[in-house]
Every structure is written in structure tokens, then in C-alpha cells.
Amino acid sequence: AASCESCPAGMAARAHSVSLSACQCAAGFTALFRYGVDGGGRGECVPCDMGFYKSDVGPGPCTSCPPNSISATASTGKSACLCNAGFRSEHGGLCESCLPGKFAASLGQRACAECQPGSFSSTMAAVRCEPCGAGRSSKAAATSSMMCAKTEIAGAAWCRDVWVWAWVLRVWAYV
């Protein structure tokens, strides 16, 4: 009875194959033919680089991920391509840049998040929002540092109101 042998790393064969010659590059791998010193050559399968994928078994080339996306080494399908930080893809389509006032901090975001109050983003494809600075604040999704307005120091209004009431009570005490 014949025994089964495994294909070398990065290779695969169809079910019920009876020879190592049936081994081909697995999904996520592409053929690389190297020539030896004596002019002879040998083929080997190498993983697709980052930003590329290959879904079929065989010697074919790896396919580039869509613009503004990346995949891990040896990826086996387009679904492995994730949008870069600063970009989003709501329905698994092309990666679109985040608009000013929004950001995407990490790979694979489906939506851009709004900048929180007290911060802003003035650029397309932002990966973070910038703080307004001391004594300044903004509404959510601010698109410019010009939208950061001066704010009262927390509690200053309360202190002013307490002082006014203390003054009113003191005046009434003399009446």
C-alpha cells in the first residue's frame, strides 16, 4: 500500500493525489523559480508579501490589496485586506479617508469616529484628534483649531455666584 506524503511548506495538492509532483503553491503563496550555479533550477513557493493576497492554489501571482489597505503576509483572500488607520470601509468596499473632524486610530475600521469635545482634526485621513489646549474647548467633530473657544475655568461661575449671594446676605444682615 502506498503511503501519503505531505507537500512541502507553502504547497498543497488536490485530494487523492498520489505524487509529490502534484504539489502546487497553496493559497497565500506564489511560485518563485531559482536558478542554481550549474544552470539548473528549482521551484519553490513563497508567501505573498504584506499588502498582497492569493486565493487560488497554483503558481499564479499574488494580487495587491485595494488602495489604502494592507494585509498580513501569506493572506488568502481580499477580505484579509484591512483599511489603514485614517481610513474606513463601511461595507467591505474601497477604503475612504476620514473627513476633517473625524478619525480612525487603527486598522480595519468600518467607520470614522468623531473628535470628542475639546479636540479637533483639520486633515483628511486623521489617525487622532488634536487637543484644543488649556482653557479652550470645542464641540464634537470640530474641524479646525479656530473652533476651539476660550472656556471659563471649571467652578469659576459657581465661585462668582457664591460671592454674589454672600454679598447679598451681608447687605441684608445690615438692614
Side-chain angles (χ1 to χ4, degrees), residues 49-52 65-73 75 78-85 95 107-108:
D49 289 332
M50 284 180 64
F52 291 83
C65 284
N68 305 310
S69 66
I70 191 80
S71 66
T73 303
S75 291
K78 185 177 178 180
S79 62
C81 299
L82 302 175
C83 292
N84 294 329
C95 297
L107 286 173

Side-chain angles (χ1 to χ4, degrees), residues 35-135:
Y35 290 96
V37 176
D38 60 358
R42 65 180 175 86
E44 82 178 271
C45 297
V46 295
C48 295
D49 289 332
M50 284 180 64
F52 291 83
Y53 65 93
K54 182 172 156 268
S55 21
D56 301 329
V57 172
C62 298
T63 303
S64 179
C65 284
N68 305 310
S69 66
I70 191 80
S71 66
T73 303
S75 291
T76 59
K78 185 177 178 180
S79 62
C81 299
L82 302 175
C83 292
N84 294 329
F87 293 82
R88 58 134 173 111
S89 177
E90 290 182 8
H91 305 291
L94 292 177
C95 297
E96 299 175 356
S97 62
C98 295
L99 298 174
K102 297 183 176 190
F103 72 102
S106 58
L107 286 173
Q109 298 294 302
R110 293 199 178 278
C112 299
E114 288 188 343
C115 293
Q116 296 295 310
S119 66
F120 68 95
S121 166
S122 58
T123 62
M124 300 283 286
V127 297
R128 69 179 173 282
C129 298
E130 302 297 326
C132 283

Side-chain angles (χ1 to χ4, degrees), residues 116-158:
Q116 296 295 310
S119 66
F120 68 95
S121 166
S122 58
T123 62
M124 300 283 286
V127 297
R128 69 179 173 282
C129 298
E130 302 297 326
C132 283
R136 295 190 164 279
S137 188
S138 67
K139 292 183 179 180
T143 59
S144 163
S145 62
M146 300 298 287
M147 297 176 83
C148 295
K150 286 186 179 181
T151 57
E152 270 189 9
I153 298 171
W158 181 83

